[in-house]
Amino acid sequence: MTAVSDRQKLAYLAGQAADARVNVELETEGMVLNIGPQHPATHGTLRIVARLDGEQVVQAEPIMGYMHRGYEKLTEVRTYAQITALINRIDWVGSFANEVPFILAAERLMGIEAPPRAQWIRTILFEMGRMANIILFLGDMGIQVGALTPMFYAFRDREFILNQIEAVTGGRFHPNFDRIGGLKDDLPKGWIEDSHTAMAKVREICDIMEDVLLGAEIFEARTRGVGVIPPDVAMQFGLSGANARASGIDWDLRRDTDVGLPYGQVDWKVWTHPDGDSFARYWVRLQETREASLIVDQLLDTIPSGPVMAKVPRIIKVPEGEAYVATENPLGEMGFYVVSKGDLNPFRVKIKTASFNNLSITPWLLRGVYVPDIITILGSLYFILGDLDR
Amino acid sequence: MTPLLALDPAYWQVTTLKGILALVVVPTTAAIIAFVFLFKFVSFMHNRLGPMEAGPHGSLQLLAEAGRFLQKEDLAPEQADKRIFRWAPIVVMVATFLIYVVIPAGPNAVIEDLPGGIYYVLAIASLSVLGILMAGWASANKYALLGALRAAGQLIAYELPMVLAVLGVVIQAGTINMQGIVAAQMGDGAEIFGLPIIGNPYILTQFVGMLIFITAIQAELSQTPFDMPVAESEIVGGYMVEYTGTRFLLFFLAEFSSAFAFAAIAATLFLGGWALPHAWGIPYGAMHVLGPFVLLAKTMAFALIIFWVRFTFPRLREDQLQKFAWKVLIPVALANIMLTAVLKVVF
Amino acid sequence: MSSSDTPDTDVTEAEAVEVDELREGVVARLREVLGDGVVEHHIVPNCDVWIRIRPDAWQAAASSVRYTLGARQFGFLSAIDWQPSPWRRYMDSEVDKAVHGDEPKPLPEMTTGYAGGETRFQVFARVANIIEHWGVTLKVDAGDTDPAVDTWTKVYAGADWHERETWEMFGVRFEGHPFLRNIYLPSGFEGNPLRKDYPLLSRFTKPWPGIVDVEPMPGTDEEPSSEEGA
Amino acid sequence: MPELPTPKLPGSGLLKGLGVTMRTALETMFPDGLKNPVPQPTKGAATVQYPHEKETPANRSRGVIALHDENCTACMLCVRECPDWCIYIEAHKTLAPPRRAGGKPRAVNALDRFDIDYSLCMYCGICVEVCPFEALFWSPEYEYSELKIADLLHDKTRLVQWFDTVPEFEPYESGAEIKVKKVPPPPKKADQ
């Protein structure tokens, strides 16, 4: 007998028998397939237990927690400056966009308003974080569906934005640049002009992606009608960002709520798509990237001069109270519910991340889907694992 | 065959010579294709340089790769069926070697000029499916199982359009012998639209057949628009997932040498293989030397199309792939055969 | 700082007068549907609104907020443990205090946030109406020792995962939830990490580097001053 | 709302995709277009061959923390503010020469040990920002990886060596009214 001991063999057979007899007339035996936690298509360590009947999914359920770092517990023992350094590691691709909601919530509690120049630069870096995040998605969706080249174009042109963020904040991915009351520093000389060239590069990558992927009939065959989410179900699960807008929900926090970012002074358009399938999600994100580059161009031209830091005491003690501020992050609506008891560190910070809600729809969405479509749907929902597991 | 050189070797010497020749030619062709297309051309398409460290401009990268695979430990999963697991890559490799038997690279530079040349190739092409199924089933891994079943479904579904596309060429050439097909295209009487200068490459008359053949090759090699058996983002390497070391090297070599083999067959069927149009008046003797280079150039042309498509397009789902094969390729191939037969009779 | 019905008093006079009719309307409509289910509410003018619901009206609140008030977009659902943490900020915890030599400060007594609350655990959820552009945070008391609240999964399917996370982090049982199990933590994990009395062990294992140990001037018998420029 | 896509030939989307990849391949091989048809991919490629050519990081990029040890008075602010607790400082009291002639010698903290553990550090920059005596600076140096993780604990001498790589002060964009608090170090060539 081979080295396999009898106990293992029995366990192996028992495992097989445990798979429910899924398809009675065809006498087929169900198979439980573990996609992840080590899998190229899951943006990190996410594990999906899919019960298959042949290639069709009978029931799929994501298992998370491999990347859970316990942010909400950490925030209880850190000062506000330390938390800012921590939270730009939640959605590690949209670097600056994580810090803004937390700082805005703290500013609302303290009743401080950042000077106009700081708001302008904050919005510019916020949109740059969005572009850096979504351009990675535009390339990555190609890999999920099998095309190798778009990824390289995306990374080549994304470098320009990361260089701009690094030139201002010092860090490409983790800027840690936002402070309560304004920003840590001001723009270096010649930055505004380099940013204009970077924005032109962003529009160029959007056109390339439209030619290589969006137009290709195979991409349309793989994504049209795959993973359709009706608007009401999307809202019930709390989907936000491009996933909601792709189902026809005309809702964008940048336009609908006023949190102190000058989106009012810029004319831009919210893109929606009626279909709600994977193709629509890709299409909406592509248009939003182009829109973001136009927003940044307009903001760069109208930067007011002035200080970047309001008058703020050196030791920051946030007065007692609660505040919830949510902004339109690249992945969706990210909100910080900050409860403060008036001392150096917050009493409780609830971090509402977009990917958690975006992924909570997958058990409902992945029923009766083919195996390759699991990957397409997960790719189109576009989550970042740090955002999902916090 | 007029004796090439003065000496007249015994039969067994000829076969061993041919065996050694095949053992040398197949890996080098796979190496050429792998280096030119997989390392360099793809990198240029991605606006990057590809391997640059090993050898001038990365030329010795393949030696480094082979060395890396050879010194890796040769693992087999515990619950795998050891014997079948070890023989699977060898079956796939043999299937690729056998295709080279029939490809003519010169007037008599062919390992065995079988009378049923192209018919033999189509039969052998389906042998690799066995190796893949053995690999997938024996490695006791759910991903490998999925990959193998997909490969089986796909390769069988795409053999039919390949056969039908080849039929168009055979009807027009009137023979199924490879040298015969080459002669029909580039022989003395061959000319098209009245100008003999370009001979009669079947790419012009059999253009639809060529397209179907290229698509079928893409599926036989499980390349990207049809690479479900090895879909990296879904089933992570398909049937090759449990292989390491030399066995994986065998699969790698098999993949690229079969790419060269099929591209060479496409060149022979549609671009006239090793021959140049008779009207150019190149002496028959010179073709012995020139033949292989002409075949290499034409094969590179077809391989360019294969790899260009491979690195640009996304991947189809298997049900779309099957629908595309049965509902689109086969009817068009049948229509192509009918048209060729009618035109053959009329002219 | 729990406030009664009117907005809190220390707000400047101008703001107190400016009534935020949109959010007052929301509270009024909810009060009209739930009757005395709405216990207390707090409004920060044209900013945000908090409403505290009686525990037995929690499920009714969900369906009324969703269907009658039209807040179809689900935000999140979580809990707060209002009891102040015995470990404070771990830096001046007992381990390091011994070195500093002064006795620990007494624990502050428990106070709850906006729209009040009597018990230690409080579940709060946020939903938004994206047509009229307002969002509301509903709160409910979940009890002190063994917190339990009705589930929202019947109304907002998205609440399923949030309730599973709140259950494993705070130990709040959700009556009627289809299958309460760990979402982040490994299955064999005991204890509820986000409770305030759950220690953050990483801060115990390593001594706090911030303790100032500057040796005295050689030769002088000056004893080392402990709080040197703290 | 998306405008109706113009009806197009079924295969044309695929051909456009092929066109893009081939155009990029040709651009990489012949960067100067048809002027000189000699393929020179090294010029056309967007990638940098790292060990041979190196990209200079931005002026403010946070590569490594440099210490100006004369300014450090062991006030322990940076140690307390560091989220990862990865800075260790030990000092002792000494008598420093009086500021004005004939004045009383001043008791001042002399630095014994100033270690930063780069295996824990998350490059957030709070220590550099919070230091009241301008003893810590950022330098864009990034090539200090080690074989053993223990070597990532940079001691005082190593941190002072980084001091020479701290870049000059960078002028701000026009319209920036910011109070310059970080005075750059004295010219590097001065003897330490």
Side-chain angles (χ1 to χ4, degrees):
Chain A
M1 261 301 281
T2 60
V4 173
S5 67
D6 291 345
R7 190 179 46 72
Q8 275 168 332
K9 187 176 274 295
L10 290 179
Y12 185 71
L13 293 179
Q16 289 294 346
D19 297 339
R21 287 206 167 280
V22 174
N23 200 327
V24 180
E25 342 64 62
L26 273 182
E27 293 300 322
T28 55
E29 214 176 292
M31 176 168 87
V32 176
L33 184 69
N34 273 322
I35 300 175
Q38 202 61 28
H39 192 273
T42 52
H43 295 271
T45 52
L46 168 77
R47 172 172 163 217
I48 294 166
V49 177
R51 187 174 295 284
L52 301 183
D53 162 27
E55 283 271 346
Q56 220 156 10
V57 173
V58 173
Q59 183 248 340
E61 211 239 331
I63 293 180
M64 311 176 293
Y66 294 91
M67 180 74 83
H68 180 60
R69 294 157 288 190
Y71 266 95
E72 290 165 11
K73 187 71 177 176
L74 290 179
T75 51
E76 283 160 16
V77 288
R78 278 180 168 61
T79 66
Y80 282 81
Q82 288 170 344
I83 295 177
T84 334
L86 259 181
I87 46 173
N88 51 39
R89 282 155 168 77
I90 291 182
D91 162 16
W92 56 67
V93 186
S95 50
F96 190 76
N98 301 298
E99 299 164 18
V100 170
F102 176 69
I103 293 294
L104 289 176
E107 279 178 358
R108 179 180 286 181
L109 275 177
M110 288 181 78
I112 294 175
E113 178 83 3
R117 185 178 177 87
Q119 286 178 4
W120 248 257
I121 299 177
R122 226 181 232 169
T123 320
I124 293 172
L125 288 176
F126 189 90
E127 291 301 320
M128 280 193 176
R130 174 191 315 283
M131 281 186 269
N133 197 334
I134 304 275
I135 287 180
L136 183 126
F137 158 79
L138 295 177
D140 175 72
M141 188 63 182
I143 294 269
Q144 310 282 5
V145 180
L148 202 60
T149 20
M151 190 54 152
F152 288 94
Y153 299 151
F155 268 92
R156 174 193 62 188
D157 287 342
R158 193 167 159 266
E159 281 307 309
F160 294 94
I161 299 175
L162 293 185
N163 291 344
Q164 286 310 102
I165 293 179
E166 186 182 13
V168 172
T169 63
R172 290 160 57 91
F173 263 54
H174 303 305
N176 187 18
F177 190 65
D178 209 352
R179 295 293 178 268
I180 294 183
L183 297 172
K184 173 180 163 193
D185 216 336
D186 208 316
L187 305 176
K189 184 160 248 351
W191 189 81
I192 289 186
E193 214 227 303
D194 299 349
S195 301
H196 279 305
T197 48
M199 288 312 116
K201 275 287 174 192
V202 166
R203 282 188 282 280
E204 191 188 298
I205 186 68
C206 288
D207 304 341
I208 289 179
M209 284 302 163
E210 232 158 39
D211 293 347
V212 174
L213 265 184
L214 212 56
E217 276 73 12
I218 298 181
F219 182 78
E220 273 180 48
R222 275 298 299 278
T223 50
R224 274 208 190 273
V226 169
V228 179
I229 305 176
D232 186 50
V233 175
M235 280 203 271
Q236 208 186 33
F237 278 97
L239 260 65
S240 53
N243 297 334
R245 284 191 287 280
S247 303
I249 304 170
D250 184 5
W251 169 54
D252 189 325
L253 283 172
R254 294 176 288 184
R255 179 194 60 188
D256 298 342
T257 55
D258 169 26
V259 279
L261 295 175
Y263 283 106
Q265 276 78 19
V266 174
D267 70 346
W268 56 284
K269 179 171 151 23
V270 175
W271 291 88
T272 57
H273 195 286
D275 297 353
D277 54 10
S278 305
F279 183 82
R281 286 188 277 274
Y282 188 87
W283 185 85
V284 165
R285 286 203 178 93
L286 193 113
Q287 310 307 332
E288 269 177 11
T289 317
R290 198 178 274 132
E291 203 63 41
S293 69
L294 296 174
I295 291 176
V296 168
D297 268 344
Q298 292 171 42
L299 284 174
L300 284 172
D301 299 341
T302 59
I303 278 197
S305 59
V308 273
M309 193 60 180
K311 229 191 67 46
V312 164
R314 191 165 169 70
I315 308 287
I316 292 165
K317 282 195 183 319
V318 177
E320 196 159 339
E322 296 170 32
Y324 176 71
V325 170
T327 54
E328 187 64 37
N329 274 47
L331 297 173
E333 175 209 352
M334 180 182 210
F336 282 81
Y337 189 93
V338 178
V339 176
S340 159
K341 280 263 191 278
D343 53 10
L344 273 175
N345 52 340
F347 185 76
R348 163 93 164 98
V349 175
K350 162 66 186 173
I351 304 167
K352 187 261 170 193
T353 54
S355 301
F356 190 72
N357 286 14
N358 291 347
L359 251 294
S360 62
I361 201 169
T362 42
W364 176 85
L365 193 59
L366 291 181
R367 280 200 306 260
V369 151
Y370 287 110
V371 169
D373 285 345
I374 296 180
I375 309 297
T376 316
I377 291 170
L378 283 178
S380 71
L381 282 175
Y382 191 48
F383 58 93
I384 297 283
L385 204 58
D387 205 49
L388 175 67
D389 278 358
R390 286 194 306 268
Chain B
M1 258 183 343
T2 58
L4 189 62
L5 308 169
L7 52 91
D8 172 16
Y11 184 71
W12 65 271
Q13 282 162 336
V14 169
T15 40
T16 45
L17 189 72
K18 286 179 181 171
I20 295 158
L21 193 74
L23 276 180
V24 165
V25 159
V26 169
T28 39
T29 52
I32 294 167
I33 284 266
F35 171 68
V36 168
F37 290 107
L38 187 62
F39 289 154
K40 283 302 155 190
F41 182 65
V42 154
S43 318
F44 295 156
M45 276 214 281
H46 296 164
N47 201 350
R48 57 185 171 89
L49 284 181
M52 293 292 281
E53 295 305 315
H57 230 298
S59 46
L60 302 183
Q61 177 69 20
L62 263 179
L63 282 186
E65 294 278 340
R68 182 168 62 89
F69 279 127
L70 289 176
Q71 49 93 12
K72 280 256 169 59
E73 187 197 358
D74 193 353
L75 298 172
E78 194 187 357
Q79 274 140 10
D81 189 333
K82 297 289 185 297
R83 242 177 296 103
I84 300 181
F85 184 80
R86 287 207 177 77
W87 277 98
I90 292 151
V91 168
V92 173
M93 196 66 208
V94 162
T96 328
F97 267 81
L98 291 179
I99 299 180
Y100 277 83
V101 165
V102 172
I103 303 175
N108 47 23
V110 64
I111 295 174
E112 195 52 53
D113 188 8
L114 299 172
I118 194 64
Y119 185 71
Y120 161 84
V121 165
L122 298 176
I124 290 295
S126 62
L127 194 60
S128 60
V129 181
L130 289 179
I132 292 171
L133 263 178
M134 280 164 64
W137 203 274
S139 46
N141 173 324
K142 289 176 181 164
Y143 286 107
L145 183 65
L146 272 177
L149 295 180
R150 285 184 182 182
Q154 169 181 323
L155 297 183
I156 291 164
Y158 275 84
E159 257 157 40
L160 211 52
M162 192 155 82
V163 168
L164 298 175
V166 165
L167 261 181
V169 169
V170 165
I171 293 170
Q172 187 160 358
T175 158
I176 54 173
N177 178 323
M178 296 293 269
Q179 295 286 25
I181 294 175
V182 166
Q185 289 178 41
M186 294 296 165
D188 50 11
E191 37 84 25
I192 189 157
F193 318 131
L195 32 96
I197 195 65
I198 55 164
N200 175 16
Y202 285 157
I203 192 167
L204 304 177
T205 54
Q206 291 289 335
F207 190 72
V208 172
M210 192 272 286
L211 282 183
I212 296 169
F213 190 77
I214 293 280
T215 328
I217 285 182
Q218 201 75 358
E220 286 296 314
L221 304 170
S222 59
Q223 303 255 352
T224 284
F226 311 99
D227 79 339
M228 269 59 74
V230 272
E232 308 83 27
S233 65
E234 289 145 25
I235 44 174
V236 196
Y239 52 88
M240 291 191 272
V241 78
E242 289 291 349
Y243 282 88
T244 58
T246 41
R247 287 185 209 298
F248 187 80
L249 186 63
L250 282 180
F251 270 121
F252 183 81
L253 274 181
E255 186 188 343
F256 282 96
S257 47
S258 59
F260 185 89
F262 278 116
I265 290 167
T268 315
L269 290 181
F270 296 101
L271 282 178
W274 54 268
L276 291 175
H278 188 76
W280 293 10
I282 299 163
Y284 188 71
M287 285 320 289
H288 290 301
V289 174
L290 209 58
F293 296 106
V294 170
L295 178 69
L296 187 66
K298 292 179 181 172
T299 315
M300 280 305 187
F302 273 105
L304 175 80
I305 298 173
I306 292 177
F307 280 91
W308 185 11
V309 163
R310 169 179 179 164
F311 290 113
T312 311
F313 287 158
R315 168 187 313 127
L316 278 171
R317 231 185 15 216
E318 319 85 83
D319 56 329
Q320 292 161 345
L321 169 131
Q322 301 288 347
K323 272 200 215 86
F324 182 60
W326 295 102
K327 290 210 173 96
V328 172
L329 282 188
I330 291 177
V332 168
L334 287 173
N336 178 32
I337 293 171
M338 246 89 78
L339 190 67
T340 327
V342 164
L343 288 178
K344 178 78 180 172
V345 164
V346 164
F347 289 117
Chain C
M1 206 204 64
S2 63
S3 75
S4 62
D5 282 356
T6 61
D8 41 23
T9 48
D10 54 23
V11 167
T12 56
E13 210 39 54
E15 227 162 339
V17 124
E18 174 219 325
V19 172
D20 180 341
E21 66 304 326
L22 173 65
R23 288 178 176 75
E24 292 289 353
V26 166
V27 175
R29 271 188 285 165
L30 195 58
R31 195 180 285 283
E32 179 194 293
V33 170
L34 290 178
D36 59 2
V38 173
V39 175
E40 226 182 297
H41 76 281
H42 173 83
I43 295 178
V44 171
N46 49 47
C47 214
D48 220 339
V49 58
W50 284 264
I51 300 173
R52 188 152 65 88
I53 309 283
R54 232 193 9 230
D56 53 13
W58 180 243
Q59 216 154 16
S63 42
S64 60
V65 155
R66 172 147 191 222
Y67 297 114
T68 43
L69 271 72
R72 311 193 73 78
Q73 176 71 14
F74 177 73
F76 62 87
L77 183 143
S78 184
I80 302 181
D81 174 1
W82 286 106
Q83 188 220 340
S85 154
W87 321 106
R88 272 187 289 282
R89 277 179 51 225
Y90 295 87
M91 288 198 231
D92 34 21
S93 58
E94 275 54 35
V95 170
D96 310 303
K97 202 49 86 184
V99 175
H100 284 256
D102 45 13
E103 80 307 329
K105 292 196 293 297
L107 263 183
E109 52 13 89
M110 181 175 94
T111 59
T112 54
Y114 286 168
E118 285 85 24
T119 61
R120 172 183 173 196
F121 290 102
Q122 201 174 41
V123 170
F124 67 106
R126 173 135 187 124
V127 285
N129 178 333
I130 56 175
I131 297 129
E132 297 161 11
H133 303 316
W134 52 265
V136 68
T137 310
L138 301 172
K139 287 190 171 184
V140 70
D141 286 345
D144 284 331
T145 52
D146 174 14
V149 165
D150 300 338
T151 177
W152 264 25
T153 40
K154 303 291 178 296
V155 180
Y156 287 100
D160 175 359
W161 279 18
H162 290 265
E163 283 172 359
R164 272 174 58 191
E165 188 208 352
T166 313
W167 174 74
E168 77 180 347
M169 287 299 173
F170 287 92
V172 176
R173 258 190 353 303
F174 286 89
E175 314 299 353
H177 187 277
F179 183 20
L180 266 186
R181 59 197 188 288
N182 278 5
I183 193 165
Y184 283 143
L185 302 173
S187 37
F189 193 92
E190 314 98 28
N192 304 96
L194 274 184
R195 286 192 176 187
K196 284 289 188 293
D197 46 19
Y198 190 91
L200 193 58
L201 293 182
S202 61
R203 287 283 166 118
F204 283 92
T205 49
K206 184 174 181 183
W208 183 44
I211 307 155
V212 179
D213 56 352
V214 180
E215 296 120 22
M217 194 80 70
T220 64
D221 46 15
E222 187 194 332
E223 37 83 22
S225 65
S226 61
E227 211 50 33
E228 178 75 36
Chain D
M1 294 309 286
E3 71 292 344
L4 276 166
T6 54
K8 55 181 168 56
L9 222 60
S12 68
L14 297 171
L15 294 180
K16 223 184 325 165
L18 287 174
V20 169
T21 36
M22 187 46 87
R23 184 161 35 85
T24 326
L26 295 178
E27 269 162 22
T28 321
M29 276 197 280
F30 310 104
D32 313 335
L34 294 175
K35 278 195 294 305
N36 62 351
V38 171
Q40 11 160 253
T42 31
K43 193 155 95 72
T47 50
V48 166
Q49 300 299 320
Y50 170 64
H52 315 304
E53 320 139 16
K54 289 190 180 132
E55 262 183 356
T56 57
N59 210 319
R60 281 187 195 168
S61 110
R62 304 197 291 262
V64 76
I65 298 171
L67 167 69
H68 187 47
D69 50 3
E70 282 101 13
N71 290 2
C72 175
T73 63
C75 68
M76 303 299 266
L77 259 178
C78 56
V79 177
R80 290 208 182 90
E81 281 298 316
C82 172
D84 292 351
W85 292 2
C86 69
I87 302 178
Y88 309 99
I89 292 181
E90 278 156 23
H92 65 277
K93 279 207 180 331
T94 54
L95 285 180
R99 244 188 227 94
R100 292 183 312 284
K104 200 159 67 55
R106 294 172 293 115
V108 99
N109 285 341
L111 208 54
D112 287 344
R113 168 185 180 226
F114 191 108
D115 296 354
I116 295 183
D117 188 350
Y118 280 111
S119 62
L120 286 178
C121 171
M122 62 175 182
Y123 298 93
C124 57
I126 289 180
C127 54
V128 174
E129 207 182 316
V130 90
C131 172
F133 301 101
E134 283 148 27
L136 291 172
F137 293 93
W138 275 112
S139 125
E141 204 52 43
Y142 56 89
E143 282 161 328
Y144 52 94
S145 53
E146 302 287 344
L147 291 182
K148 290 204 303 296
I149 197 163
D151 298 349
L152 274 178
L153 186 74
H154 286 197
D155 58 5
K156 186 155 70 85
T157 49
R158 187 104 188 259
L159 291 175
V160 172
Q161 280 159 13
W162 291 126
F163 193 65
D164 313 336
T165 61
V166 175
E168 288 311 316
F169 177 72
E170 197 193 21
Y172 284 110
E173 187 67 81
S174 59
E177 290 136 15
I178 186 163
K179 176 168 64 52
V180 175
K181 33 191 196 327
K182 272 294 171 194
V183 172
K188 277 189 285 305
K189 295 304 151 285
D191 48 346
Q192 280 320 74

